[in-house]
Amino acid sequence: SQTIHQWPATLVQPVGSPLSLECTVEGTSNPNLYWYRQAAGRGLQLLFYSVGIGQISSEVPQNLSASRPQDRQFILSSKKLLLSDSGFYLCAWGSKDRLYQPQHFGDGTRLSIL
Amino acid sequence: DQQVKQNSPSLSVQEGRISILNCDYTNSMFDYFLWYKKYPAEGPTFLISISSIKDKNEDGRFTVFLNKSAKHLSLHIVPSQPGDSAVYFCAASTLEGAQKLVFGQGTRLTINP
């Protein structure tokens, strides 16, 4: 069966520090990968998605970047964090092989910027 | 422009009764609709979905209804149980490209004993 791992679960970082969040998927190959953010009391907003190694699409202008160095690895980064980067970050994967398939989410990273 | 809207931030239902969560969308190109359940500090868990070629999909206590002409979908939970207390998100996507999901703001469902 497929599983998705995100780490760390929580992170407290000072303003201006760098960021690296990692997500890996097991049990599937060539998935679509996604990064979402949930701000307090809000829905989930898609930040980045990737349909293959090295292929990254950004949905919203922001202080963050994403990379996909391997088929089942997705990384969210920042060179200098802002206060507005605080939130709950979620990684998800979806299948390309079949239509009408849901995305599956990791347990998320709670990022607090001080 | 919010393409998917859940207009009720919260809903309180008595245990054993029916819970009805609603969702509206504006983009007529959406052809796949999903409901996710989310507990605090966890990722959303897929609950049930429906394609645009159907108007109803049932899975145990959960039924999703789709009204394409009204651009409205709803989730029915019968009977409601205390473990159903969570935040419920509806989401929609087209089937093109990366099948990106657009989420509503969520509805917090509380089941009272």
Side-chain angles (χ1 to χ4, degrees):
Chain A
S1 64
Q2 301 88 1
T3 56
I4 179 167
H5 303 280
Q6 268 189 259
W7 66 93
T10 59
L11 190 59
V12 180
Q13 292 284 97
V15 170
S17 63
L19 172 74
S20 181
L21 301 181
E22 190 162 341
C23 171
T24 59
V25 181
E26 296 177 358
T28 187
S29 60
N30 196 26
N32 289 329
L33 296 174
Y34 310 86
W35 279 111
Y36 291 85
R37 176 170 60 202
Q38 184 185 16
R42 306 286 295 276
L44 281 70
Q45 182 183 35
L46 179 63
L47 302 177
F48 300 95
Y49 66 92
S50 171
V51 299
I53 296 174
Q55 300 179 63
I56 307 296
S57 297
S58 174
E59 284 293 290
V60 292
Q62 59 203 305
N63 183 43
L64 303 168
S65 62
S67 61
R68 184 172 178 174
Q70 300 179 42
D71 180 45
R72 290 170 291 173
Q73 184 185 28
F74 206 20
I75 297 173
L76 184 69
S77 305
S78 173
K79 292 182 180 177
K80 284 187 178 182
L81 285 166
L82 306 173
L83 283 174
S84 57
D85 293 323
S86 292
F88 191 51
Y89 289 83
L90 290 153
C91 181
W93 74 272
S95 172
K96 290 195 193 70
D97 299 333
R98 291 156 59 190
L99 296 177
Y100 301 116
Q101 295 298 304
Q103 291 179 20
H104 299 279
F105 287 80
D107 281 336
T109 296
R110 172 73 58 191
L111 176 63
S112 300
I113 310 300
L114 303 179
Chain B
D1 175 31
Q2 197 148 13
Q3 299 184 67
V4 179
K5 289 185 181 180
Q6 293 175 256
N7 291 316
S8 297
S10 62
L11 176 66
S12 186
V13 175
Q14 194 167 2
E15 182 179 0
R17 305 294 288 266
I18 183 171
S19 295
I20 301 176
L21 294 96
N22 294 302
C23 180
D24 297 297
Y25 63 95
T26 57
N27 188 345
S28 58
M29 300 300 292
F30 287 144
D31 41 24
Y32 184 44
F33 304 88
L34 309 91
W35 285 95
Y36 285 85
K37 177 180 180 181
K38 186 180 180 303
Y39 293 117
E42 293 184 9
T45 302
F46 169 69
L47 200 55
I48 193 169
S49 64
I50 189 167
S51 68
S52 59
I53 59 175
K54 295 185 176 181
D55 54 19
K56 177 183 174 181
N57 188 26
E58 196 170 351
D59 183 1
R61 296 185 298 114
F62 303 93
T63 304
V64 56
F65 295 92
L66 176 62
N67 182 334
K68 289 188 291 293
S69 61
K71 295 191 177 66
H72 178 82
L73 68 153
S74 60
L75 174 68
H76 292 209
I77 306 173
V78 181
S80 300
Q81 300 174 353
D84 296 329
S85 296
V87 177
Y88 289 78
F89 290 98
C90 69
S93 76
T94 66
L95 293 179
E96 297 176 331
Q99 300 176 43
K100 300 174 289 184
L101 289 178
V102 179
F103 281 85
Q105 311 95 302
T107 296
R108 181 177 300 279
L109 176 64
T110 302
I111 306 301
N112 301 307

